[in-house]
Amino acid sequence: EAQVTQNPRYLITVTGKKLTVTCSQNMNHEYMSWYRQDPGLGLRQIYYSMNVEVTDKGDVPEGYKVSRKEKRNFPLILESPSPNQTSLYFCASSRPTGVLTDTQYFGPGTRLTVL
Amino acid sequence: AQSVTQLGSHVSVSEGALVLLRCNYSSSVPPYLFWYVQYPNQGLQLLLKYTTGATLVKGINGFEAEFKKSETSFHLTKPSAHMSDAAEYFCAVSDLMGGATNKLIFGTGTLLAVQP
């Protein structure tokens, strides 16, 4: 089954404790990205990757890091989480970059709470 | 810059009634438009998309949307609501000004409630 998986689905942590949210897709997609969803703001892109070892900032990258060492995986790293990073996070993937009409496939989401 | 505006953060309809969720876009180039649905505790799922060609687009679960360039709108409709349609709906536009990044620019979402 074609899918995007994220782990963990729920996470409660404390300020400053480094964490990683994993994202994996089994569709051989080149493009992957991370969004955060906040009430009244919709989804905003954090980082994206156009292929292995190619990443770039989205609209709200502050406080986040990513890496793309393998095509299928795109982890989101919070080196020192703060309460304003409490949010619902989605990973997404799609076919080759440049195909702007293509469907993006979303993971189930990770609900992060930073105390 | 491109943007999307969804009018009405909450919409409530009765089962069997017409569903109308509004989306207006702003774009200096012909847009690519999408509607996604998010069921409780799930990720986003594509309902339908408009790229080029026919302006009336049919999607899954009986939904459709019409691209109206003159009104810069892409409203989502369904003739008869089902209880299973209760979800949050997001309108989005491809970021055509940002290069080939595949980025989507989302509206703030509309939460649809369906009353029995």
Side-chain angles (χ1 to χ4, degrees), chain A residues 30-88:
Chain A
E30 277 80 2
Y31 179 84
M32 298 184 74
S33 66
W34 278 101
Y35 291 86
R36 60 177 288 173
Q37 181 183 6
D38 300 292
L41 296 177
L43 282 80
R44 295 174 293 167
Q45 191 183 59
I46 303 170
Y47 267 94
Y48 65 93
S49 169
M50 299 172 79
N51 215 324
V52 175
E53 302 292 359
V54 181
T55 64
D56 207 347
K57 297 177 180 178
D59 296 321
V60 287
E62 293 76 21
Y64 304 95
K65 286 176 56 177
V66 293
S67 69
R68 188 89 181 275
K69 298 188 186 329
E70 305 167 281
K71 197 172 189 179
R72 63 183 294 128
N73 296 323
F74 190 45
L76 180 69
I77 303 157
L78 285 71
E79 294 271 4
S80 183
S82 62
N84 64 12
Q85 293 178 297
T86 293
S87 187
L88 180 58

Side-chain angles (χ1 to χ4, degrees), chain A residues 9-10 31 35 37 40 42-43 45 48 50 59 88 90 94-104 106-108, chain B residues 32 34 36 38 41-46 49 51 88 90 94-96 98-104 106-109:
Chain A
R9 293 289 312 278
Y10 302 90
Y31 179 84
Y35 291 86
Q37 181 183 6
L43 282 80
Q45 191 183 59
Y48 65 93
M50 299 172 79
D59 296 321
L88 180 58
F90 288 101
S94 66
R95 287 192 305 168
T97 56
V99 184
L100 297 175
T101 62
D102 210 10
T103 300
Q104 290 199 30
F106 285 80
Chain B
Y32 298 146
F34 304 78
Y36 280 84
Q38 183 181 23
N41 298 315
Q42 295 186 28
L44 280 74
Q45 178 183 358
L46 181 69
K49 62 182 178 183
T51 55
E88 190 159 21
F90 291 93
S94 277
D95 181 15
L96 301 178
T101 66
N102 288 30
K103 185 174 88 172
L104 290 172
F106 284 89
T108 53

Side-chain angles (χ1 to χ4, degrees), chain B residues 6-57:
Chain B
Q6 291 184 243
L7 295 175
S9 58
H10 291 78
V11 170
S12 182
V13 300
S14 299
E15 193 172 18
L18 171 72
V19 175
L20 171 61
L21 304 183
R22 299 179 186 274
C23 173
N24 288 88
Y25 69 90
S26 173
S27 178
S28 57
V29 297
Y32 298 146
L33 295 160
F34 304 78
W35 274 101
Y36 280 84
V37 60
Q38 183 181 23
Y39 297 106
N41 298 315
Q42 295 186 28
L44 280 74
Q45 178 183 358
L46 181 69
L47 268 180
L48 49 81
K49 62 182 178 183
Y50 169 78
T51 55
T52 58
T55 57
L56 181 63
V57 180

Side-chain angles (χ1 to χ4, degrees), chain B residues 75-113:
Chain B
H75 301 331
L76 182 70
T77 61
K78 181 174 181 178
S80 177
H82 295 162
M83 296 296 290
S84 60
D85 295 327
E88 190 159 21
Y89 293 79
F90 291 93
C91 184
V93 62
S94 277
D95 181 15
L96 301 178
M97 309 306 290
T101 66
N102 288 30
K103 185 174 88 172
L104 290 172
I105 298 169
F106 284 89
T108 53
T110 298
L111 189 61
L112 175 66

